[in-house]
């Protein structure tokens, strides 16, 4: 038996040749607002319902990324996409209008790095030439599915997070300019014993810490080998727990570490501990992070999107929240 690893190494180095980000009003007013491609001030995106609005946002991210890559939809072989709604309706309803194969993915807020890992593996192995990897989330749709209707106006605890209205899409290719995906680490499902629906940052922090240890063990890299390390959406509380968990193992992340959820909003926007949602890391990756890789400010980046794998049913039954984090290493040309 060989040594057990969780990390794939891509010899052919699939590249992100284009990325697109679409966000809502609150996200556009945050610290990263100037980096996003589209800021939509109508929460329904011109549609009659929030769910249709989320699908519209999703569609804009995918079509925009394809255009930025200088391609047509027929040039993309497969769409790997996911969202937070039951039965992946946003992803599936958008996919029905696209001329490409479709893999619907669910890994909660870690779905973006799951999509990138699988897309890179399919391209590296020669099965496909191009793949679109996309995820999204919407505050209004997620709130009434996982917690309460918006009209209820329930009070939130200070450690809660705000589901980002955001979507992002990356176009992966076997050739062309752009940062390469050199490694992808598939995370384990771990449980911190948290059963509070509002405390997802704490629930997911242990998964992010577990995966970053695995990345370093499997690849031989350490924190000094990266210009930046990002987690998906732990928020302020979860990011502090992540730092503490790493510190216990002798790993000091320092100023290289940032959390996409913590970066999304100003404190004065009343978003509590920051952003969550599958669109959080997807939109930050395809705007801020990708821009810095293409601009030469970053040479090597580790992105660890994080997902809380609960459902309304399990939460109402008192179950704790299992979590997972998948990681990808991106290297500039």
């Amino acid at each position: 038996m060989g040594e057990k690893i969780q990390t794939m190494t891509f010899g052919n180095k699939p590249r992100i040749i284009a990325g697109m980000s679409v966000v809502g009003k609150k996200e556009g007013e945050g610290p990263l607002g100037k980096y996003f491609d589209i800021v939509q001030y109508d929460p329904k995106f011109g549609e009659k319902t929030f769910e249709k609005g989320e699908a519209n946002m999703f569609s804009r991210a995918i079509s925009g990324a394809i255009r930025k890559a200088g391609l047509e939809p027929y040039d993309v072989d497969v769409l790997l996409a996911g969202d937070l709604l039951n039965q992946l309706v946003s992803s599936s309803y958008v996919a029905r209008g696209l001329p490409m194969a479709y893999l619907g993915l669910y890994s909660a807020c870690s779905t973006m790095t799951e999509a990138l890992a699988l897309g890179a593996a399919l391209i590296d192995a020669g099965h496909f030439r191009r793949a679109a990897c996309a995820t999204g989330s919407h505050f209004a749709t997620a709130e009434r599915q996982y917690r309460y209707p918006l009209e209820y106006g329930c009070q939130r605890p200070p450690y809660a997070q705000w589901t980002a209205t955001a979507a992002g899409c990356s176009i992966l290719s076997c050739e062309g300019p752009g940062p390469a995906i050199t490694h992808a680490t598939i995370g384990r499902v771990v449980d911190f014993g948290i059963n509070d629906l509002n405390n997802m940052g704490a629930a997911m922090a242990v998964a992010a810490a577990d995966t970053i240890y695995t990345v370093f063990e499997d690849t031989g890299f350490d924190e000094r080998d990266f210009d930046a390390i990002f987690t998906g959406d732990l928020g302020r509380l979860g990011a502090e727990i992540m730092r503490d968990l790493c510190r216990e193992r002798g790993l000091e992340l320092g100023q290289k570490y940032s959390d996409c959820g913590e970066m999304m909003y100003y404190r004065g926007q009343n978003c509590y501990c920051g952003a969550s949602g599958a669109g959080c890391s997807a939109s930050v990756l395809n705007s801020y992070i990708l821009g810095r890789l293409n601009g030469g400010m970053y040479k090597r980046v580790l992105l660890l999107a994080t997902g809380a794998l609960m459902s309304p049913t399990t939460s109402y039954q008192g179950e704790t929240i299992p979590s997972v984090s998948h990681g990808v290493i991106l290297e500039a040309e």
Side-chain angles (χ1 to χ4, degrees), residues 5 41 55 114 131 134 154 157 166 171 189 200 207 225 228 232 293 320 324 329:
I5 61 171
Y41 287 83
E114 179 181 20
C154 65
I171 304 299
V189 176
M200 293 189 298
D225 294 305
L293 282 163
T320 53
V324 70
I329 295 177

Side-chain angles (χ1 to χ4, degrees), residues 307-318:
L309 304 177
M310 80 287 191
S311 78
T313 300
T314 58
S315 297
Y316 297 151
Q317 293 175 354

Side-chain angles (χ1 to χ4, degrees), residues 15 70 183 260:
R15 297 187 176 274
H183 303 77
C260 297

Side-chain angles (χ1 to χ4, degrees), residues 3-183:
E3 182 182 359
K4 183 178 179 180
I5 61 171
Q6 296 169 227
T7 300
M8 297 180 285
T9 301
F10 303 122
N12 294 322
K13 296 184 178 179
R15 297 187 176 274
I16 302 178
I17 60 172
M20 184 75 175
S21 57
V22 183
V23 302
K25 177 177 181 290
K26 187 179 286 288
E27 292 71 26
E29 293 172 344
L32 302 179
K34 65 181 179 181
Y35 297 100
F36 299 125
D37 293 294
I38 296 176
V39 178
Q40 173 59 257
Y41 287 83
D42 174 13
K44 291 184 180 177
F45 288 77
E47 304 289 348
K48 291 184 178 180
T49 67
F50 292 120
E51 285 74 17
K52 288 183 178 181
E54 180 177 325
N56 183 303
M57 175 180 64
F58 220 106
S59 179
R60 291 189 193 188
I62 296 170
S63 61
I66 293 172
R67 284 196 304 272
K68 286 175 73 173
L71 303 172
E72 297 294 331
Y74 285 99
D75 298 321
V76 179
D77 301 309
V78 60
L79 169 66
L80 299 98
D83 55 86
L84 298 182
L85 298 188
N86 290 337
Q87 289 78 49
L88 301 180
V89 293
S90 293
S91 307
S92 301
Y93 278 55
V94 170
R96 70 181 176 180
L98 294 171
M100 59 189 73
Y102 166 63
L103 285 171
L105 307 177
Y106 186 81
S107 189
C109 303
S110 65
T111 303
M112 189 63 200
T113 45
E114 179 181 20
L116 291 171
L118 294 175
L122 291 170
I123 291 173
D124 184 67
H127 300 300
F128 296 110
R129 296 186 68 245
R130 300 187 186 96
C133 303
T135 62
S137 55
H138 194 297
F139 173 77
T141 64
E143 286 303 304
R144 65 184 179 189
Q145 176 171 295
Y146 284 99
R147 296 179 185 87
Y148 301 99
L150 297 182
E151 298 83 356
Y152 183 66
C154 65
Q155 186 172 355
R156 295 163 175 268
Y159 51 79
Q161 292 171 249
W162 189 278
T163 304
T165 298
C169 178
S170 302
I171 304 299
L172 307 189
S173 176
C174 61
E175 57 186 4
I181 301 178
T182 60
H183 303 77

Side-chain angles (χ1 to χ4, degrees), residues 233-292:
D233 55 348
L234 300 180
R236 282 190 291 276
L237 175 61
E240 284 304 311
I241 295 173
M242 164 75 168
R243 288 182 183 276
D244 289 341
L245 291 171
C246 290
R247 198 171 288 123
E248 289 175 2
R249 295 278 293 266
L251 174 60
E252 188 62 53
L253 296 178
Q255 294 185 346
K256 290 184 177 181
Y257 169 58
S258 301
D259 178 74
C260 297
E262 192 174 11
M263 297 165 63
M264 184 71 79
Y265 304 120
Y266 291 113
R267 288 179 182 253
Q269 289 182 276
N270 297 321
C271 294
Y272 309 92
C273 270
S276 65
C280 177
S281 60
S283 60
V284 176
L285 165 65
N286 288 289
S287 56
Y288 180 80
I289 299 173
L290 203 56
R292 288 184 163 246

